[in-house]
Each structure stands twice: as structure tokens, then as C-alpha cells.
Amino acid sequence: MTSLGGFLEFYDFIIYALMAVYIADQFFPSHDSFTSMLTTFATFSVGYFVRPLGGLVFGHLGDRFGRKPTFVATVLIMALSTFLMGCLPTYSQVGLWAPLMLVGLRVLQGFSIGGEIPGAMTYLSETVDRRRGLVMSLLFMVLANGVVFGSLVHAFMLWWLPVDEMKAWGWRIPFWLGGTMGICSYVVRKQFQESDLFLQLAKRKAQSAVPLFHLLQSHRRQLLVGIFLILPVATSMTLLFLFTPGYLTKMLGYSAGDVALAGSIGIFLSSVVFIAFGLLADTVSLRSLLCVASGIIVLFSVPVFYWYGAGVDVYSVMLVSALIQGSITGVAPLALSELFPVNVRYSGIAFCYNVSFALFGGLTPVIAMTLIGWTNNLQSPAWYLMVSGLFGLLATCMMSVPRRPSAAQL
């Protein structure tokens, strides 16, 4: 139940990326497809930029007043903003107001997801002492399958509706579906119980008055390590699975249906890799696994984009993408959850997770398109992915967390 909201959050958030081609036509019309897509992805990035703010707000509330209220608030905000995105008028109907309203709703989406995933990580880290690697990887497996579900909805829409109808009105349906599911999740979340460790903390009145200040004063190194740990997670997810639908169809001429289906298969397989690395994390040195996962990114970044440019079967390349993304996501969140004590854990996880996704995940589509424009080389985004793997190796060298701290560590 902890991961149910995250499943829906990931579905709602990535639907925008999957509908990017249609949103570009309806909200950012341009005779130049490159400019139209770049503007659309820039709006996608706005949602990432406000994630740190949402993380700070919900992290503060979670560390001061409890975990449960954040679960209720984040999913409600996400549900309403997602549903309303499907109701927006287009540029041809209201002009500039259309993209402005779209940006506003993207801000609300990003704000809510900034508190969602860190909250789930915090809750699990406080309630699980054994098989923590497996449990954390299961959380992200469910989250990833929210992306799979969104991709399958996209594939179904492409099969069901002609391209013209998808552009005209079909793109709205996935947003309405996500909003409806979000309301259902809100009803379920109201029944959640508070974390026992937080209740013990509150009973002793040991909460940090301002968790962010405490982090900046006493845990600066952990904050930097945490950002570097999540950097390759954010970059690989966004570049390999969220950026590719528009990139492969508009710039490399791949079939939209094949790309959507291959993306779904790739993300599902990456979630299987999560579990494999999570199981290993319960028996093998976490530092060693982080080195292996980061090394996989460094080694396979260039080949993946070379194969796409050479027209290699999209399903085959997605298998390699699944290994790249799945290996690092199977271990990095676990390492992050072990960096901070309970009284600032929610805020610490939220700060690192959201700063990484905002600065590196959120900018990934824009950076990728900019690299392509500067170099006139469609394979140039590979170098950005490779650098993210190097940061993962740097974080591994810097981290100094205990091998397996107790969930109750204060």
C-alpha cells in the first residue's frame, strides 16, 4: 500500500512525456519541429524544477508533524492537476493562455511528487529492519510499473485512435484516467497509520525544529553524497525512457507504436533488474554494487545511442537500457535511505532526491536536445549519460554510511 500512490504518481507524471508529440502541436505550434519539441520538453522540465520546493515543504511537514499527512496531500494535488491538464483549451482556442495554464499545472504536479517518493522511502526505512534491499527495490519496481502502465495506455491509444484524432482530442484521455485513479488512491491513503518510529520521536518531543537547517549544519557531506547517488538514477530514467519516445519517433523515424511497446517492455524488465540488485544488496557490499551499477552506465552509454542511430531494432536496444537503468535504481535509493537519522530523514531524502531529479533529470531532455543542436550528432546525448555514471562512482567513493544501520538510528 505504501507504493500505490507512487505507482499513480509516476503514471501521472510521465504521461506528459509520452504525450509530448501531441502537446507540442496543441500548445506550442511551430513550423520547426525541433523548436516545438524543445519548448515542450522545457515545459516538462518545469515540473522537475519545483520538485525540491515540494520536497522541502512536505519533508518539513513529515519530519515535524508526521508522515501520513504528506501521503494524503501529495496524491490529492497530483490527481487534481493531472485531471485538469486533460481539460485545458489549446493554443488555437485561447492563445498564450493555453501554455501558461499548462505550465501552472505542471508546477503543481512537480510540487506534489517532490514529497511523494521520499515519503515512501522514509516510511519503509523506518519500518523494515530485514531484507531492506529487497523491500526498497520492490518499492521502485511498483513505481516503475506506473511508468509501464502509462506506456501501455499510450500504446493502446495509438492502436485505438488514428493519428489525427490523437492530436485533436485523444491525448486528453490518459490525463483524465490518471486523475481518476489519483482520487481513488486519496481515499485509500486516508486509512494509513502513522510510522511507529515517528510516534516515538514525537512522544519524546525530539523533532528537529527546522530540519533543513539541521541538515545544512550537521549533514552537508551526506547531502552531497545523496545528490550524486540519485544523479545517475534521474538521468538514466529520463533519458532512456522518457526522452526517447519523442526522440526516436520525430528525429530517427522509428514507429510510434513500436517505441511505445518497446519502452513498456524495457521499463518492466528494468524493474526485474531492480529486484535482482535489491536481493544482492542484502548479501553483498552495497559499495561494490554501486560501483558495478555505475560502471554499467559508463560502459554502455555510447553503444546504446550508436545502435539507435544505426537503426538497430528498438526492442533489442531497450533490453540494454533496462540493464543500465535497473542496476543503478536497484541500489542507489537504498544507499540514500541509510544516510540520515530519523529526525531529519524525510527532509534529507527529499532534498537529495528532488535536487538530483530537478537539476539532472529535469534538464536531461533540454540538455540532450541542445547537445544534438550544437554537435549536429544525434548520438551526442550518450556523453551526458556517461557523465552521470561517473558521478555515481564518485558518490560511492565519498559515502561513509555504516554497512547496515538500524532503522531506529537517531
Side-chain angles (χ1 to χ4, degrees):
M1 295 302 294
T2 302
S3 58
L4 174 62
F7 172 91
L8 298 176
E9 297 269 2
F10 260 52
Y11 165 83
D12 291 341
F13 204 70
I14 64 94
I15 275 295
Y16 181 94
L18 298 174
M19 297 291 118
V21 174
Y22 314 110
I23 292 173
D25 292 334
Q26 296 295 331
F27 291 87
F28 306 101
S30 173
H31 296 297
D32 180 1
S33 62
F34 177 87
T35 301
S36 180
M37 285 295 291
L38 182 60
T39 306
T40 304
F41 281 127
T43 304
F44 174 82
S45 299
V46 168
Y48 276 96
F49 293 151
V50 296
R51 287 175 73 146
L53 177 60
L56 290 176
V57 171
F58 290 116
H60 180 88
L61 293 174
D63 282 332
R64 287 285 295 154
F65 306 109
R67 317 312 193 194
K68 178 182 174 180
T70 66
F71 284 113
V72 176
T74 55
V75 76
L76 180 61
I77 295 172
M78 191 66 168
L80 294 177
S81 58
T82 300
F83 190 89
L84 290 174
M85 284 180 69
C87 303
L88 288 177
T90 64
Y91 187 91
S92 63
Q93 295 172 320
V94 296
L96 188 60
W97 283 105
L100 289 177
M101 287 187 287
L102 179 64
V103 169
L105 292 175
R106 285 291 298 160
V107 167
L108 288 177
Q109 278 190 322
F111 182 80
S112 64
I113 205 172
E116 169 61 33
I117 310 305
M121 294 171 64
T122 302
Y123 190 83
L124 289 177
S125 71
E126 294 177 356
T127 56
V128 177
D129 274 319
R130 300 181 59 192
R131 309 301 298 271
R132 194 179 300 177
L134 174 61
V135 171
M136 194 65 70
S137 64
L138 283 170
L139 167 66
F140 277 83
M141 183 194 74
V142 176
L143 301 184
N145 280 286
V147 178
V148 173
F149 183 65
S151 300
L152 290 175
V153 169
H154 182 220
F156 173 77
M157 296 297 298
L158 293 175
W159 170 81
W160 179 40
L161 294 176
V163 174
D164 290 343
E165 292 190 35
M166 275 295 297
K167 290 181 178 179
W169 59 270
W171 62 270
R172 299 178 183 273
I173 294 177
F175 292 105
W176 292 335
L177 176 62
T180 302
M181 291 190 299
I183 295 298
C184 295
S185 180
Y186 166 75
V187 174
V188 172
R189 286 187 177 203
K190 291 180 71 175
Q191 311 305 315
F192 279 16
Q193 300 298 315
E194 185 56 82
S195 159
D196 287 339
L197 280 179
F198 178 81
L199 292 176
Q200 295 172 21
L201 194 75
K203 186 176 181 179
R204 298 195 308 271
K205 300 186 183 301
Q207 302 103 309
S208 175
V210 184
L212 179 61
F213 289 170
H214 188 168
L215 285 167
L216 294 175
Q217 289 173 353
S218 305
H219 302 282
R220 289 189 293 271
R221 182 184 179 88
Q222 290 95 319
L223 288 174
L224 189 60
V225 171
I227 290 171
F228 289 169
L229 280 172
I230 300 301
L231 192 158
V233 176
T235 302
S236 60
M237 168 59 80
T238 309
L239 191 62
L240 295 176
F241 293 111
L242 303 187
F243 171 74
T244 48
Y247 168 73
L248 294 177
T249 56
K250 278 215 164 188
M251 308 194 77
L252 293 179
Y254 279 81
S255 163
D258 284 341
V259 169
L261 182 56
S264 299
I265 294 172
I267 296 172
F268 173 76
L269 292 177
S270 73
S271 70
V272 176
V273 180
F274 297 170
I275 301 301
F277 272 74
L279 286 168
L280 287 173
D282 288 323
T283 57
V284 179
S285 164
L286 187 56
R287 191 185 302 273
S288 298
L289 286 175
L290 285 167
C291 285
V292 170
S294 300
I296 288 173
I297 296 176
V298 174
L299 290 175
F300 286 100
S301 295
V302 172
V304 162
F305 280 87
Y306 173 80
W307 291 330
Y308 277 139
V312 173
D313 178 62
V314 66
Y315 295 95
S316 300
V317 185
M318 281 293 179
L319 294 179
V320 181
S321 297
L323 175 63
I324 293 173
Q325 210 281 319
S327 59
I328 192 65
T329 306
V331 290
L334 173 63
L336 175 62
S337 72
E338 296 183 350
L339 287 176
F340 304 100
V342 171
N343 64 330
V344 292
R345 182 170 291 165
Y346 198 138
S347 296
I349 293 174
F351 183 90
C352 297
Y353 188 90
N354 289 305
V355 167
S356 286
F357 266 90
L359 294 181
F360 305 106
L363 284 175
T364 288
V366 176
I367 291 174
M369 293 295 290
T370 302
L371 286 172
I372 291 171
W374 282 353
T375 64
N376 199 30
N377 181 352
L378 293 176
Q379 285 78 56
S380 57
W383 300 104
Y384 182 57
L385 180 60
M386 181 183 292
V387 169
S388 77
L390 294 175
F391 272 100
L393 290 172
L394 177 60
T396 305
C397 294
M398 293 175 62
M399 65 186 295
S400 57
V401 298
R403 175 64 180 87
R404 280 293 178 267
S406 167
Q409 176 191 3
L410 295 178

